[in-house]
Amino acid sequence: MAAPGPGIALAPGLVHHPGYLDAAGLARLWIELAEVIAVSPPYRPRMPRTGAPFSVRMTNCGALGWVSDEAGYRYQPHHPETGATWPSIPPTAMAAWRDLAGYEAPPETCLVNLYEPGARMGLHQDRDEAALDAPVVSLSLGATALFRYGGIRRSDPTRSIRLASGDALVIGGASRLIHHGVDRILPALPDLLGGMEPPVLTKIMTGLLPPGGRCNLTLRRVTRPPE
Ligand SMILES: O=C(O)CCC(=O)C(=O)O
Ligand SMILES: [Mn+2]
């Protein structure tokens, strides 16, 4: 990748990089994701206590993965259904962390969120990590999301932006604990790469998600790096 520009500062520490991944970068990432999903199948997390299913399916890569079920939210080193350790974080995602995080230590987890049309993610904070000095680096693929963000308090006013395929969003600094979520996935263009993708890539994309679906990756440092 070319060095990323400064991006658009939406708030202190909250930076949007539209089109961070170009078509070649997106193609690479789809292929890498297909490899992840082949060994680490998406599962449907459940809400703490109630056990209500999420509308988003998830999987992880890295040393740790974020899971949620009746027992609560947590990071753990193995897949909740297969029991296997998580696969490595894809190289294209690691490169995005190096480009955008501004953090000395590598990420320990990459959560993969798979949104079918109609899936959403309620307003929440990312606060299950001890290393809150590290940002969350998010990469979007596929259909565009209407992403909502507010402030540290749940009652703070919110705004929304569109996150399109190839966009990166850095949630760090004074914005690390802002509330955010995905209101909805916007109706898709007829294809995901403007009709340019080779048939092999179409096969990979449609194998991972139904038409109109969206994939989001969030890279995080979970534990505080050694001094
Ligand atoms: O899908 C997105 O853009 C946001 C994902 C998110 O907030 C999360 O996984 O914690
Ligand atoms: Mn989040």
Side-chain angles (χ1 to χ4, degrees):
M1 282 302 294
I8 302 164
L10 302 169
L14 180 66
V15 185
H16 184 197
H17 296 269
Y20 165 72
L21 287 173
D22 60 12
L26 277 169
R28 256 196 333 271
L29 190 50
W30 278 113
I31 292 166
E32 292 167 358
L33 275 173
E35 290 168 6
V36 164
I37 281 169
V39 297
S40 190
Y43 54 90
R44 196 174 290 283
R46 299 184 303 278
M47 290 297 285
R49 291 186 300 278
T50 65
F54 283 35
S55 61
V56 179
R57 289 181 308 139
M58 297 183 177
T59 188
N60 286 273
C61 18
L64 294 169
W66 188 87
V67 300
S68 177
D69 59 21
E70 286 80 347
Y73 304 138
R74 63 194 175 277
Y75 281 99
Q76 65 183 39
H78 56 270
H79 191 290
E81 290 175 359
T82 69
T85 53
W86 306 103
S88 332
I89 299 179
T92 304
M94 287 298 280
W97 179 269
R98 285 194 298 274
D99 281 351
L100 301 173
Y103 194 74
E104 69 281 10
E108 294 172 297
T109 186
C110 175
L111 173 63
V112 179
N113 292 314
L114 295 167
Y115 296 81
E116 297 180 7
R120 56 185 300 280
M121 190 178 285
L123 213 61
H124 66 278
Q125 293 170 298
D126 289 7
R127 55 183 307 163
D128 297 326
E129 302 78 24
L132 287 174
D133 57 332
V136 175
V137 173
S138 146
L139 297 172
S140 293
L141 296 94
T144 298
L146 198 59
F147 178 87
R148 182 163 297 280
Y149 66 93
I152 309 285
R153 285 175 309 206
R154 202 180 170 80
S155 56
D156 286 338
T158 63
R159 302 182 63 171
S160 64
I161 54 162
R162 288 169 184 231
L163 291 181
S165 198
D167 287 8
L169 184 71
V170 180
I171 308 174
S175 290
R176 179 61 180 76
L177 288 175
I178 57 164
H179 285 78
H180 61 276
V182 171
D183 282 353
R184 63 192 179 93
I185 306 301
L186 300 176
L189 299 171
D191 53 65
L192 302 177
L193 284 181
M196 298 301 287
E197 69 274 19
V200 63
L201 202 53
T202 310
K203 198 158 165 250
I204 288 172
M205 294 188 294
T206 52
L208 298 184
L209 276 171
R214 168 177 185 258
C215 178
N216 169 263
L217 274 61
T218 45
L219 294 144
R220 301 186 178 87
R221 179 79 198 183
V222 180
T223 64
R224 296 182 72 85
E227 292 293 315

